Amino acid sequence: MAGPRAASAEQVEAAWEDNKLAQVLYHDWEAQTYDEKWSISFDDRCTSIVRDRFLHVLESTRRPGESLPFGRTLELGAGTGFFSLNLKLAGLVDEVHVSDLSPGMVEAAKANAQRLGFEIEGRVADAESLPYEDDSFDLVVGHAVIHHIPDVEGALREVVRVLKPGGRFVIAGEPTRIGHWYARHLSRATWETATRVSRLPPLRGTWARAQAELDESSRAAALEAVVDLHTFDPAQLAAMARRAGAEHVGTATEELLSAFAGWPIRTFEYAVAEDALGFGWAKFAYGSWKNLMKVDAVLGRVVPQRFFYNVGVTGTKPLR
């Protein structure tokens, strides 16, 4: 059964005046196709990506004796469960709870968990006012979520509140200010070039995406611009976490050369007809990104954090 279509032009217009409406509209629409759009899976490929990304952020301030796996875990703005479900598959967390402002995303995450053979608890929740008691979780995680939240510091304060004393949060995959700037410009240039070239006579029959699909993508992109509220300087993000009450705060970054390649590749895939690219392309795209990530790991020793595309932040709730 086909999933919901992108928001109408009228809904996009209304969403400019109501950010919470925008968040629900965009993420409810995305829920049915989100995993396909972002190549999300729950197999060795994504489980290893999530494990490595989680540990990369965690290790920036991991305390001696801090043991794995974590127990009762909440994912903030969980989407379809990409981060928390893969963390469970990797053996890094035990009990999973998810929250999201979008009812569609909560249901998608619960359905993904059922397909994987386990149950999770899920609630529709605003990250700025979490419906959980104080001292409820051993770990709170998030992935590509806080840049959607109007009051980031308020949300981090809520994260600290629901953690048990000594509990930890790990939030990964957030855009840096510089990274967002070059990703946006690379994507725009790729989209304009690919859509024009694919409509040239020799390619039009096999490469050009239908105009209705391009129009729907444009409306989705417009709504995405409404829901993407923040970019972050790593040092300022760490300071924000400390103001929210966290200690042992650290940041870690990823994706530099891999972002310069990854964003044009992903944009190109959505600018041309769906069946124009095959398995060979998918293998090339993933292999290129993975190899460049290895180079980025080396560059991370000498290049300042602010130049990378992704930033993650971690910290703990003070012991009483």
Side-chain angles (χ1 to χ4, degrees):
M1 181 172 63
R5 295 183 64 80
S8 67
E10 292 76 15
Q11 287 174 316
V12 172
E13 185 65 27
W16 281 103
E17 305 300 326
D18 184 345
N19 189 262
K20 299 294 185 184
L21 170 64
Q23 299 288 351
V24 174
L25 280 174
Y26 178 73
H27 290 99
D28 271 356
W29 168 68
E30 286 248 294
Q32 300 302 316
T33 57
Y34 192 77
D35 290 350
E36 180 183 359
K37 176 179 179 180
W38 295 106
S39 298
I40 288 173
S41 61
F42 302 94
D43 54 20
D44 289 345
R45 178 180 64 86
C46 276
T47 298
S48 64
I49 291 171
V50 167
R51 180 186 62 243
D52 292 349
R53 183 160 290 178
F54 174 83
L55 293 175
H56 180 59
V57 179
L58 173 66
E59 295 296 339
S60 65
T61 64
R62 188 175 178 183
R63 297 164 298 178
E66 191 169 12
S67 61
L68 297 171
F70 288 91
R72 195 167 188 248
T73 298
L74 171 67
E75 183 172 10
L76 190 73
T80 62
F82 165 70
F83 209 51
S84 57
L85 300 189
N86 275 304
L87 285 173
K88 182 172 176 61
L89 293 175
L92 295 176
V93 304
D94 289 331
E95 180 184 337
V96 174
H97 297 248
V98 299
S99 68
D100 201 289
L101 191 63
S102 160
M105 287 295 191
V106 172
E107 290 306 312
K110 291 168 69 175
N112 278 337
Q114 287 181 337
R115 281 192 289 271
L116 294 169
F118 55 87
E119 299 291 329
I120 62 173
E121 295 293 326
R123 294 189 188 182
V124 177
D126 189 330
E128 297 167 358
S129 181
L130 292 172
Y132 301 99
E133 296 181 358
D134 296 358
D135 308 337
S136 294
F137 296 97
D138 301 291
L139 175 70
V140 176
V141 299
H143 188 273
V145 57
I146 61 173
H147 70 283
H148 293 309
I149 300 172
D151 183 3
V152 175
E153 189 171 328
L156 291 174
R157 197 171 295 114
E158 278 289 275
V159 166
V160 174
R161 178 185 68 79
V162 303
L163 280 171
K164 298 175 183 179
R168 178 176 289 278
F169 65 87
V170 174
I171 297 172
E174 301 296 337
T176 66
R177 290 176 183 167
I178 294 175
H180 175 74
W181 181 87
Y182 61 66
R184 186 180 69 248
H185 283 78
L186 286 168
S187 295
R188 183 179 302 163
T190 303
W191 179 268
E192 292 176 355
T193 301
T195 52
R196 289 177 183 176
V197 172
S198 66
R199 292 189 174 278
L200 295 175
L203 301 175
R204 186 181 302 157
T206 55
W207 285 84
R209 189 175 282 268
Q211 187 60 48
E213 295 178 6
L214 293 176
D215 292 342
E216 185 170 345
S217 292
S218 295
R219 289 198 303 275
L223 195 53
E224 188 173 24
V226 181
V227 302
D228 288 348
L229 299 177
H230 307 286
T231 57
F232 301 99
D233 174 86
Q236 292 177 4
L237 179 58
M240 190 183 300
R242 294 188 186 96
R243 290 196 301 269
E247 62 181 17
H248 302 112
V249 174
T251 58
T253 51
E254 287 185 312
E255 294 193 64
L256 182 58
L257 296 181
S258 54
F260 273 88
W263 280 102
I265 286 172
R266 178 65 64 194
T267 304
F268 176 71
E269 290 171 350
Y270 278 87
V272 302
E274 185 175 358
D275 57 357
L277 305 172
F279 177 75
W281 169 266
K283 185 177 180 180
F284 156 77
Y286 176 64
S288 298
W289 177 82
K290 189 174 181 180
N291 288 331
L292 288 173
M293 283 286 285
K294 295 177 182 177
V295 179
D296 288 342
V298 177
L299 293 177
R301 302 170 189 168
V302 294
V303 177
Q305 286 190 338
R306 65 182 182 274
F307 292 107
F308 286 77
Y309 177 74
N310 277 330
V311 60
V313 63
T314 186
T316 63
K317 181 171 183 171
L319 291 167
R320 294 197 183 107

